[in-house]
Amino acid sequence: MRKAECPSCGAPVFFRGATSIVAVCEFCKSTLVRKGPQLEDIGKMAELLEDATPIKLGTEGVYRGKAFSVIGRIQYRYGSGVWNEWYCFYDDGREGWLSDAMGNYLVTFLRPLADPPKLEQIAPGWVLQAEGKRFQVVDIERAQVVAGAGELPVQVGAGWDAPVVDLRSEQGDFATIDYSEDPPLFYVGEQVPFEALRFTGLRDDQAATGPATAKAVAFACPACGAPLEKRVQTTEAIGCKSCGAVIDVTNPQAAILSRLAENAARYTPAIPLGTRGRFDGAEFETVGYMRREIVAEGTAYSWGEYLLNNPAQGYRWITEYEGHFSVVRDCEGVPGLTPGKRPVAHYRGTVFRHFQRSEPRVTYVAGEFYWRVRLGDTATVDDYVAPPLVLSGERTGNEITWSVGEYVEPQALWQQLGLKTRPPKRTGIAPNQPSPYTGKVLGYWKAFAILALVALVLQAFFRLGADTRVLQSQQFDFVPGRGASTIVTPPFELRGAKPVPLAVRSMADVDNSWVYLNVTLIEQNTGATYQLGREVSYYHGSSDGESWTEGDKSDRARIASVPPGLYYLEIEPEGDVRGRRVSGRVDVFRDPPDWANFIVALAILALFPARALWRSVAFERQRWAESDYAPASSGDDD
């Protein structure tokens, strides 16, 4: 550390960073440039804008096990507000930067970049291979320096241009190219959760978990005179819920950005502005509400978006469509995209399927927003779903932002927000609404497989254990021209306590002929009869050089229920045997358990998983009916 005296007021000035060349005197605000052993005063530094950052000069933290101190600050203004770049000195002698923008914290270090691209060559989505990783351009900004403070490795002044390009990788790495220098500077790092940096010495030690509000600034709507309040430091625009006008609060004159048409509808948010709830362990306040709309095939579809804020954690969104809600936050990296007829996206190990591309338009605004939102603003949005998650890429101008939302049950959300009202009634199915049948269909099929196996084991047990001994076997001969003759068998006893099924098997040595058997089973004591008419036929030959056969030399019939008793058979053969003698046999035996009952049981058991599968498919068809891949038009049901 090097100590010097401010040439303007004599106050002590410190240089801890080896590359620090500028220090802003905290007493007189003189900008001091180090030139060898001397300090040159190049003028007063402009005043920093008041913002909601919890960090200040002297704040300490820890990154990847290494302690650091905040020793410098550059504040920038860009289209969506202001952000801070904090110059940090690490205990191991390294120097780096901590970016603080809208509650997102990015740690970066200067890295070499061979053959940096020209700014004019770059567009959103452009890919840069660096540091062994694939970075994608997500934002191109022409920011201006507001002011600096502390010690810095670069000379800055109010109004200086700072063209910067932000890039992200699929792994969550962050990079930025600063074109305010020649050659441009390349910084690489990552986004880090606020709590992971283990800050001490913040502006407000409760900033990480406290409410989102600051001291309110009250003013009258320049369009209708209704009272308005600015409660969040990073607010750039406020929508008047009384008249629908949108006001630029960064303009001292409170300029009107846009007005709501006189006949346009105004809305009452289901979640009132000012409602607070805890998300990710921090308290957020609902500060803004807007409606967006798309038109598809002549039909307008609209939904609401609630903006929530915490000064340290940044912003979250709650989206509402037809009574369905999702809590949304910015992605920490860019997803990997696989193009095709039906594109897919990969993010954090989850595969998302493309749902639709749309161009929503802002139709209503109320409350505070961190950018200058206007009625009629449009964007190009691609939504990918993996219920309960939805991944959205939104492109506006020179920026692509990715966010991930998670479906939340309305009643659970209402409890989380402490609302006493009833949530809106749900209509239809949301793109990322979890299916109530997820996991159940597989469970049903597993249960079916288990029960089917049990039924199969029982069927096999009863069949293998059944008494299938032949009770009666009778030979017969059929000679053409002799006329019909009846054969009567000796009696046989069918034992048991209850009726049982019997099988009658007929066999004959027919050859290109048939024989018909009239078989009657008669109970000797009661005269009860059971009649069967069975045909045994067998034909064979060849046609066009190919052999063929038809029929069988045996036949089997079943009598479903025969009471115990003393029985005999009457067999009367007839047929066309082509002038030759035919010999055969008729056997009677107990029939083992029938497979028909087993098949019926399986069919009944299959009704439950089949019904669950049908309902699951119907649910998914309804989900995708409003997508770019509606089953009716694409033929894809999943």
Side-chain angles (χ1 to χ4, degrees), residues 271-276 284-288 306-309 318 417:
I271 302 174
L273 298 183
T275 300
R276 294 179 181 178
F284 285 78
E285 180 181 5
T286 306
V287 297
Y306 301 85
L307 180 63
L308 287 71
N309 176 258
I318 295 177
L417 296 172

Side-chain angles (χ1 to χ4, degrees), residues 38-368:
Q38 302 298 321
L39 293 180
E40 179 182 347
D41 185 350
I42 62 172
K44 300 291 185 183
M45 178 61 70
E47 291 292 329
L48 294 161
L49 296 176
E50 182 63 28
D51 60 16
T53 180
I55 302 172
K56 65 180 180 179
L57 294 178
T59 292
E60 296 181 342
V62 178
Y63 172 68
R64 292 187 176 270
K66 301 296 183 181
F68 65 87
S69 300
V70 175
I71 61 175
R73 177 188 188 183
I74 304 176
Q75 188 181 61
Y76 295 91
R77 171 174 283 284
Y78 70 121
S80 295
V82 297
W83 92 88
N84 294 290
E85 294 287 347
W86 300 95
Y87 185 44
C88 301
F89 182 76
Y90 286 78
D91 285 356
D92 60 3
R94 289 185 301 162
E95 299 164 17
W97 292 88
L98 172 63
S99 177
D100 164 20
M102 304 300 175
N104 294 319
Y105 298 90
L106 300 152
V107 176
T108 59
F109 299 92
L110 183 64
R111 292 285 188 266
L113 179 63
D115 300 322
K118 294 186 180 299
L119 181 61
E120 299 76 22
Q121 298 175 334
I122 299 177
W126 190 82
V127 174
L128 173 70
Q129 296 287 347
E131 300 283 309
K133 296 173 182 176
R134 185 178 184 272
F135 289 91
Q136 184 181 124
V137 173
V138 295
D139 192 17
I140 303 172
E141 293 286 351
R142 288 189 175 273
Q144 286 80 41
V145 173
V146 175
E151 61 178 283
L152 299 167
V154 293
Q155 187 173 332
V156 295
W160 288 21
D161 285 334
V164 292
V165 175
D166 290 340
L167 308 95
R168 290 185 182 269
S169 74
E170 294 180 25
Q171 295 76 24
D173 303 280
F174 174 83
T176 187
I177 307 176
D178 183 354
Y179 284 90
S180 62
E181 300 282 338
D182 188 18
L185 303 176
F186 184 55
Y187 299 90
V188 178
E190 63 178 333
Q191 183 169 332
V192 184
F194 180 86
E195 58 276 7
L197 293 169
R198 296 158 53 188
F199 284 120
T200 58
L202 294 168
R203 286 170 58 181
D204 177 2
D205 288 336
Q206 302 301 315
T209 57
T213 57
K215 184 178 179 181
V217 177
F219 64 101
C221 173
C224 70
L228 297 175
E229 280 187 339
K230 176 188 174 185
R231 300 165 59 83
V232 182
Q233 290 288 354
T234 52
T235 292
E236 297 273 312
I238 293 180
C240 176
K241 61 182 179 181
S242 297
C243 69
V246 184
I247 299 97
D248 180 1
V249 295
T250 66
N251 188 309
Q253 306 302 319
I256 297 175
L257 294 172
S258 59
R259 294 176 183 266
L260 195 66
E262 292 185 3
N263 60 347
R266 294 179 177 83
Y267 302 90
T268 301
I271 302 174
L273 298 183
T275 300
R276 294 179 181 178
R278 295 190 70 82
F279 299 89
D280 301 323
E283 185 177 271
F284 285 78
E285 180 181 5
T286 306
V287 297
Y289 174 73
M290 72 176 180
R291 301 286 300 183
R292 302 174 88 182
E293 178 184 273
I294 62 172
V295 178
E297 298 180 354
T299 302
Y301 301 87
S302 66
W303 64 93
E305 297 184 358
Y306 301 85
L307 180 63
L308 287 71
N309 176 258
N310 174 282
Q313 301 290 336
Y315 290 92
R316 301 287 187 275
W317 289 91
I318 295 177
T319 62
E320 172 199 355
Y321 175 68
E322 300 290 346
H324 301 272
F325 293 85
S326 293
V327 178
V328 182
R329 64 178 300 160
D330 290 340
C331 292
E332 295 180 358
V334 293
L337 302 180
T338 303
K341 183 178 179 181
R342 193 171 209 175
V344 296
H346 305 262
Y347 179 71
R348 295 292 191 237
T350 300
V351 178
F352 295 78
R353 291 187 296 169
H354 189 256
F355 188 82
Q356 69 177 5
R357 170 170 288 186
S358 61
E359 293 188 0
R361 179 176 63 92
V362 177
T363 58
Y364 179 76
V365 175
E368 303 183 49

